[in-house]
Amino acid sequence: MEFSLKPSTLKMIRTSFCILVVLATSSFSVLESRDSSSNGHANIEYMAINCRKHSAVITEFGAVGDGKTSNTKAFKEAITKLAPKAADGGVQLIVPPGKWLTGSFNLTSHFTLFIQQGATILASQDESEYPVVAPLPSYGQGRDAAGPTFASLISGTNLTDVVITGNNGTINGQGKYWWVKYRSGGFKSITRPYTIEIMFSQNVQISNITIVDSPAWNVHPVYCNNVIVKGVTILAPIDSPNTDGINPDSCTNTLIEDCYVVSGDDCIAVKSGWDQFGIKVGMPTQQLSIRRLTCISPDSAGIALGSEMSGGIKDVRMEDITLLQTQSAIRIKTAVGRGGYVKDIFARRFTMKTMKYVFWMSGAYNQHPASGFDAKAMPEITNINYRDMTADNVTQPARLDGLNNDPFTKICMSNINIALAPKPKELLWNCTNISGVSSKVTPKPCSLLSENGAPVDCAFPVDKIPIESVVLNKCSA
Ligand SMILES: *[C@@H]1O[C@H](CO)[C@@H](O)[C@H](O)[C@H]1NC(C)=O
Ligand SMILES: *[C@@H]1O[C@H](CO)[C@@H](O)[C@H](O)[C@H]1NC(C)=O
Ligand SMILES: *[C@@H]1O[C@H](CO)[C@@H](O)[C@H](O)[C@H]1NC(C)=O
Ligand SMILES: *[C@@H]1O[C@H](CO)[C@@H](O)[C@H](O)[C@H]1NC(C)=O
Ligand SMILES: *[C@@H]1O[C@H](CO)[C@@H](O)[C@H](O)[C@H]1NC(C)=O
Ligand SMILES: *[C@@H]1O[C@H](CO)[C@@H](O)[C@H](O)[C@H]1NC(C)=O
Ligand SMILES: *[C@@H]1O[C@H](CO)[C@@H](O)[C@H](O)[C@H]1NC(C)=O
């Protein structure tokens, strides 16, 4: 493991995160030399958590970049053959310019998939190219149907040190086939594939790629530690079903930065499992930092917390966010039966334009797995902090629906300026079963968030989460 760290950050990390302590003791790595198996491709520099000793090109495994030939076997064979070398100093698999049609394939550890500019990995629309796999333990079933799921296009399980990057190469999910079938009720037993899903893994980097037209969710790290998603462009039609951008799910220590998302569902959806299944697995999403996100999604949230939050969501920081037409900025979605919690949430410096709601909390997001949720499992929503924001052209500043006998508490809003749309809702702040304070917020908030006493600035942590201190290495492909 060769994440390198600034010495000044070591003390903080030692006290807060043991995996990175191991990383910190390893040496600072420099530009790695490539071995002789790298056959004359361009020397492209890129930044990564680790460089690789060995390098190979997908054409060495019989791949054909004509957009028609299936390369599923080539990807599978490449990774199977490269895996032993990966254990010896790491390996990178280069996808050169061309259109590389493939079905689902699995990654390996100490591995980099490098998608060059001009290269497109084209997702097969042939269902038989996607193995059917068990649903995630914290969901109990797929999201489209009670049953298993198609494996994601690019999958990884139980990995350490895996990188998907490029100099803006593309993954095209060719989602139209899946959207049309989904809309006509075609997925009655198996759930659509995602584009990238990395499970039970640590030290994961996804950067400098573009993903278009995903069949459903785009990027799904689940049960992971130490995740960086950086410089990723995600584009899907704004009416495409469930094309969430980035969904950190039951993950610890995740950094999402410099991403641009236009999609048909939440640009970022923070999750941790669904009802009784999520409660049982009990893995929260915690230590999450989201910054410099630009998002367009007219019918969904910029950043959603939930609705699957049954393993808990805590310590989420969001800053320098630009939303240019979204249904809401931050939406907390939960329901009776979810259990879990959403707490210690911090947001600042949002710039927003054209929104139905700026703030939305939904206590009645009643979408449950097929059966067996616990009607006594109440979610805990508390310590939610929003500050330093401007919004323009807003229909209703806030809709905050807590639960009867389970109020959402310690909500704080400060220094927020909301300019209304030409025809705003009559009731500007619709608040039920919540409590908190506000300071320097216009228009004037509901009485449940009234200004009491001296002005306050809502909290935002001054420390960093460990992943923010990781220094990437300069590598070449
Ligand atoms: C991504 O690309 C930008 C612009 O080319 C470059 O400055 C940056 O180092 C790259 N980052 C990563 C993590 O690859
Ligand atoms: C990927 O690995 C999973 C096990 O995690 C397996 O079920 C699946 O068939 C593999 N996919 C491919 C394409 O081999
Ligand atoms: C992942 O690791 C767990 C625990 O060691 C094991 O039960 C499971 O079979 C592994 N899955 C894969 C696909 O390697
Ligand atoms: C990457 O490519 C996408 C799609 O062509 C484009 O929208 C985006 O601006 C590019 N990003 C960079 C950093 O060049
Ligand atoms: C304001 O928002 C409405 C939708 O509520 C939209 O139709 C209109 O174009 C927006 N105006 C501006 C100036 O962006
Ligand atoms: C929850 O809100 C409803 C609607 O405003 C109200 O009737 C009810 O009394 C509230 N519950 C509590 C416990 O305050
Ligand atoms: C306020 O919110 C409650 C709870 O969601 C809803 O039932 C009610 O219709 C809303 N009122 C207005 C005037 O929008």
Side-chain angles (χ1 to χ4, degrees), residues 90-172:
V91 68
Q92 63 192 359
L93 177 63
I94 293 168
V95 182
K99 288 192 164 69
W100 309 91
L101 182 68
T102 181
S104 171
F105 61 91
N106 284 325
L107 302 175
T108 190
S109 292
H110 309 294
F111 179 84
T112 297
L113 180 67
F114 191 93
I115 309 168
Q116 287 187 353
Q117 188 160 55
T120 299
I121 294 181
L122 270 184
S124 174
Q125 296 180 323
D126 176 353
E127 290 182 11
S128 70
E129 293 262 43
Y130 298 79
V132 174
V133 297
L136 297 170
S138 59
Y139 284 72
Q141 63 175 68
R143 286 310 270 105
D144 291 344
T149 73
F150 288 108
S152 298
L153 178 70
I154 300 178
S155 303
T157 307
N158 289 358
L159 306 182
T160 296
D161 178 16
V162 61
V163 177
I164 302 171
T165 190
N167 50 346
N168 208 14
T170 301
I171 303 171
N172 184 332

Side-chain angles (χ1 to χ4, degrees), residues 56-268:
V57 183
I58 189 64
T59 47
E60 292 170 42
F61 304 90
V64 180
D66 62 1
K68 296 191 184 91
T69 308
S70 170
N71 295 300
T72 312
K73 276 205 181 100
F75 276 100
K76 207 169 175 171
E77 190 183 312
I79 292 164
T80 306
K81 286 196 172 154
L82 294 171
K85 284 189 173 184
D88 164 37
V91 68
Q92 63 192 359
L93 177 63
I94 293 168
V95 182
K99 288 192 164 69
W100 309 91
L101 182 68
T102 181
S104 171
F105 61 91
N106 284 325
L107 302 175
T108 190
S109 292
H110 309 294
F111 179 84
T112 297
L113 180 67
F114 191 93
I115 309 168
Q116 287 187 353
Q117 188 160 55
T120 299
I121 294 181
L122 270 184
S124 174
Q125 296 180 323
D126 176 353
E127 290 182 11
S128 70
E129 293 262 43
Y130 298 79
V132 174
V133 297
L136 297 170
S138 59
Y139 284 72
Q141 63 175 68
R143 286 310 270 105
D144 291 344
T149 73
F150 288 108
S152 298
L153 178 70
I154 300 178
S155 303
T157 307
N158 289 358
L159 306 182
T160 296
D161 178 16
V162 61
V163 177
I164 302 171
T165 190
N167 50 346
N168 208 14
T170 301
I171 303 171
N172 184 332
Q174 302 210 92
K176 198 171 172 196
Y177 165 80
W178 305 92
W179 306 330
V180 168
K181 183 167 170 181
Y182 172 78
R183 287 198 187 101
S184 65
F187 295 108
K188 287 199 167 46
S189 56
I190 311 177
T191 288
R192 285 168 288 165
Y194 301 149
T195 294
I196 298 175
E197 183 171 65
I198 309 292
M199 298 193 266
F200 298 110
S201 298
Q202 55 186 321
N203 306 350
V204 177
Q205 174 185 334
I206 300 168
S207 62
N208 283 4
I209 57 169
T210 293
I211 305 174
V212 301
D213 294 347
S214 180
W217 299 357
N218 279 269
V219 176
H220 186 216
V222 55
Y223 322 123
C224 290
N225 283 322
N226 312 343
V227 179
I228 297 174
V229 180
K230 182 179 168 69
V232 174
T233 302
I234 292 175
L235 307 171
I238 55 175
D239 62 352
S240 52
N242 312 104
T243 50
D244 302 30
I246 302 159
N247 291 8
D249 195 347
S250 293
C251 288
T252 294
N253 199 27
T254 302
L255 175 62
I256 299 173
E257 63 180 4
D258 302 313
C259 292
Y260 180 88
V261 182
V262 181
S263 77
D265 210 317
D266 304 323
C267 288
I268 296 188

Side-chain angles (χ1 to χ4, degrees), residues 396 399 401 425 427 430 432:
Q396 188 174 33
R399 178 168 174 189
D401 312 339
K425 277 252 191 180
L427 181 61
N430 186 356
T432 49

Side-chain angles (χ1 to χ4, degrees), residues 346-422:
F346 310 96
R348 68 175 173 191
R349 300 197 302 250
F350 279 47
T351 306
M352 303 169 268
K353 188 167 164 53
T354 304
M355 331 273 294
K356 189 167 179 191
Y357 314 105
V358 177
F359 304 110
W360 196 4
M361 298 185 187
S362 310
Y365 203 88
N366 292 313
Q367 202 185 53
H368 298 286
S371 67
F373 77 91
D374 175 2
K376 290 197 201 73
M378 302 300 280
E380 182 196 7
I381 313 298
T382 191
N383 195 24
I384 314 291
N385 299 276
Y386 301 135
R387 63 181 282 181
D388 308 336
M389 301 184 173
T390 60
D392 194 12
N393 198 22
V394 170
T395 306
Q396 188 174 33
R399 178 168 174 189
L400 306 172
D401 312 339
L403 284 159
N404 194 14
N405 299 320
D406 182 24
F408 299 173
T409 61
K410 290 182 72 182
I411 297 168
C412 182
M413 297 188 185
S414 69
N415 188 28
I416 295 169
N417 238 298
I418 298 170
L420 299 172

Side-chain angles (χ1 to χ4, degrees), residues 3-6 9-21 23-24 203 225-228 252-255 286-289 291 315 317 463-471:
F3 275 79
S4 42
L5 294 162
K6 291 194 190 97
T9 63
L10 296 185
K11 189 162 169 276
M12 177 272 298
I13 287 163
R14 268 190 206 107
T15 55
S16 62
F17 203 73
C18 58
I19 292 176
L20 280 168
V21 172
L23 301 175
N203 306 350
N225 283 322
N226 312 343
V227 179
I228 297 174
T252 294
N253 199 27
T254 302
L255 175 62
Q286 56 192 345
Q287 292 182 313
L288 168 64
S289 172
R291 56 195 188 194
D315 191 2
R317 300 112 184 262
D463 66 334
K464 289 181 171 182
I465 60 167
I467 196 85
E468 291 181 83
S469 303
V470 167
V471 177

